[in-house]
Amino acid sequence: MTLTWAQLRDLKCGELEGAADGWGKASNRADAGRDRIETQLLNGLRGTQRGEAAEAAAGRLKQLSQNLSYAYTECGLLRTTLNSMAHELRAQQRALREALDDAESLKFAVHADGSVTYPAADGGLIDGRPLPGGTASVAAAPGLLPPSGLVAPNPNAAKAQDIADRVAKAVRTAAEIDWRYARILRRLKAEEGLKVPGATWTDAAGDAAAVRDAARGYLKDGIPLDASPAERKAWWAGLTDEQREEYLAVYPDRIGNLDGVPALVRDAANRDNLQLLMGKLEGRDDAKSQTQLAGLREIDRQLRAGNKPGGPPMYLLGIGDEGNGRAIVSFGNPDTAKNVSAYVPGLNTSLDEDFAKDDLKRARDTAIGTRIHDPSSAAIVWLGYDAPQSPDGLGSLDVMGNERAEKGGRAFSGFMSGLTATNENRDPHLTAIGHSYGSRTVGAATQRDGGIPGVDDIVLVGSPGVGVDHAEDLGVGKGHVFVGAAEHDVVTKLPSKQQSAAGVVGLIAAGPVAAYVAGDIADQGDDDLWFGKDPASESFGARRFQVDEGPRLISGEGVSFGAHSHYFDPRRDSVSANNIALVVAGHPEKLKVEEYR
């Protein structure tokens, strides 16, 4: 059926919004049910029951939680679709009413087909006779009407044509809006059955993308992407509950990764976006997608496993599939904790299963260790940049350059600014931790205007240099820069660029073993590393703390890089892990120190 201007004029957009409210209530109920399962029922079951029956019950509850999560997402998409449709149709109603009001004020008649009849006007220029009236049709081209009178056309003709064109445009645009949203609404329907398999989440990811495309500027344009974290916090606080619910349903990826939005909100958004991302990658068979999917599944598994009694709760502060993948996970609430650390991983880190197991464990171990000294603590692993990748360990040109560190430093600075904006303590204690190339990224962040927002202390472990030659250049005071460097850690003995220019670069390209041997030979008595002064040297001026020397690179058991990865592990290097925890907890006076190199 063809839409008429009368139908557009009389359309009750409030009914669409009423239907949207109904779907919104359904979405909220699903969310409340899911939250009750995750925070009450499952935790209660784990804390009181054991055995096969308990495991089976937990499995059923997890499935129900998945179903409710899907219902929450789809109902939220329906709400936004209807609200967006009403929003766009209202704009066309306003345009139509303005045209009709102009016609009424001029005493023009607007007919059912959109044509506009205009009256006669005063006489022509020569004979003075009245210029006859007429009708402007939609088909006529503006400015090409046949003239009335001997010389000049009836001035009412152009006005009538303008009104006819505006009426036609409003109706055509409204019809296109109706068609676009009808197509989306037909798509938003669930499969039959009580399970929500991966294929269903793939469809949900497509649904979300389709709603965003259909909604276009609705909601999205309101997200303050270019604002400061403090301004974003104020923006979120100023939204109504209904507006927040819509943003979370349609743009969980943007809200979940928006620095300045509270941690609880980011966690909720990212948990939903995690399901959509897994659904999106499920249907792809390329290596990158499968690698990232494995990482996402492991993060999802840990989130679903729940928190161990007495352990730090897990918050998903960022997730994405751009580049080599993005993931930001906090153990402990960074908005309520007095002590917050953010660990930046380095070389060969990407969103994969190893990251989800190993790097998350480092943050968890730091959180557990720090909470021994001060329970009000949280520890974050921040993969918010593309760390250099190399299949041959150290034989990568990326890891030899500064570009990724500079880009990562900008993103890390923004994230830390967000933490300072959302933390509820008057003067929180923030610590930036850089491991491997991540220490170079932290170093780059310190060189931005104002340094790293809110950071009081910096910890560097396994560092090839940070881009400056003195601890005092990192902006927190040299007494607040702490360094751990294992005796057998390859990366902490890389030769300097000057030495490489003399021929060592060929050895680096040959692989990590050659690079280490070359560095050990060429760096005798020299405190220069690839990215500047050795942070563990006396001339750098940081406070060096004790760490285990780590396994030798070459031994009877073969080649081992364990010395580069044990700094956070309380089992393999309890001294280092505890020293890191002491710094994060604000008790550096208890550190076990080590002599400079």
Side-chain angles (χ1 to χ4, degrees), residues 171-470:
V171 172
R172 279 197 306 269
T173 304
E176 184 274 331
I177 292 168
D178 179 64
W179 175 84
R180 177 159 35 99
Y181 282 100
R183 183 169 57 90
I184 297 300
L185 289 169
R186 283 193 294 269
R187 174 174 177 161
L188 292 174
K189 57 182 180 181
E191 296 180 12
E192 295 182 1
L194 297 177
K195 289 189 176 182
V196 182
T200 303
W201 277 111
T202 300
D203 289 341
D207 291 345
V211 170
R212 293 176 193 175
D213 181 64
R216 295 177 181 173
Y218 179 69
L219 291 179
K220 180 180 178 181
D221 292 343
I223 301 175
L225 298 178
D226 296 328
S228 69
E231 290 169 335
R232 293 169 182 166
K233 178 186 177 184
W235 167 76
W236 184 260
L239 296 176
T240 65
D241 289 342
E242 292 75 13
Q243 288 172 322
R244 291 176 186 170
E245 289 161 4
E246 283 202 84
Y247 275 115
L248 288 171
V250 183
Y251 293 106
D253 56 334
R254 292 184 178 272
I255 301 303
N257 291 284
L258 196 63
D259 297 327
V261 170
L264 289 174
V265 177
R266 292 180 70 162
D267 178 62
N270 285 314
R271 287 179 187 241
D272 291 328
N273 190 39
L274 175 62
Q275 303 304 316
L276 295 175
L277 279 174
M278 289 193 295
K280 172 184 172 182
L281 298 179
E282 282 277 0
R284 300 179 180 178
D285 57 5
D286 60 284
K288 175 186 173 183
S289 295
Q290 290 303 305
T291 296
Q292 291 187 349
L293 181 58
L296 293 173
R297 283 173 172 165
E298 174 57 24
I299 292 174
D300 183 57
R301 184 197 67 77
Q302 293 184 37
L303 288 168
R304 292 186 182 284
N307 305 314
K308 296 180 181 178
M314 186 174 174
Y315 297 85
L316 189 58
L317 302 183
I319 199 74
D321 62 345
E322 61 267 35
N324 293 327
R326 302 287 187 266
I328 307 171
V329 179
S330 180
F331 294 92
N333 188 336
D335 287 352
T336 59
K338 180 181 178 182
N339 304 292
V340 182
S341 67
Y343 145 59
V344 182
L347 176 64
N348 283 335
T349 308
S350 63
L351 179 56
D352 57 18
E353 192 169 5
D354 287 341
F355 166 82
K357 290 180 177 179
D358 299 338
D359 289 277
L360 264 65
K361 181 181 182 300
R362 291 174 181 175
R364 183 187 291 110
D365 285 342
T366 299
I368 293 172
T370 304
R371 287 157 74 98
I372 293 174
H373 304 289
D374 189 338
S376 182
S377 300
I380 300 167
V381 53
W382 182 86
L383 182 59
Y385 79 122
D386 283 331
Q389 303 294 304
S390 170
D392 298 319
L394 299 177
S396 168
L397 294 179
D398 283 334
V399 78
M400 296 167 70
N402 294 299
E403 182 179 358
R404 297 198 178 203
E406 297 293 341
K407 289 182 178 179
R410 287 195 294 273
F412 184 63
S413 181
F415 174 74
M416 297 304 287
S417 181
L419 289 186
T420 62
T422 58
N423 191 281
E424 298 170 5
N425 292 279
R426 177 174 296 178
D427 186 22
H429 174 239
L430 303 186
T431 304
I433 304 174
H435 174 243
S436 186
Y437 189 87
S439 67
R440 176 67 187 92
T441 302
V442 169
T446 67
Q447 301 308 295
R448 298 183 58 76
D449 289 343
I452 309 177
V455 167
D456 303 286
D457 293 310
I458 293 175
V459 175
L460 309 170
V461 287
S463 176
V466 295
V468 299
D469 289 335
H470 303 286

Side-chain angles (χ1 to χ4, degrees), residues 19-37:
D21 288 343
W23 287 109
K25 290 177 181 177
S27 179
N28 291 341
R29 290 194 185 101
D31 188 37
R34 175 183 62 175
D35 184 66
R36 183 162 183 256
I37 290 172

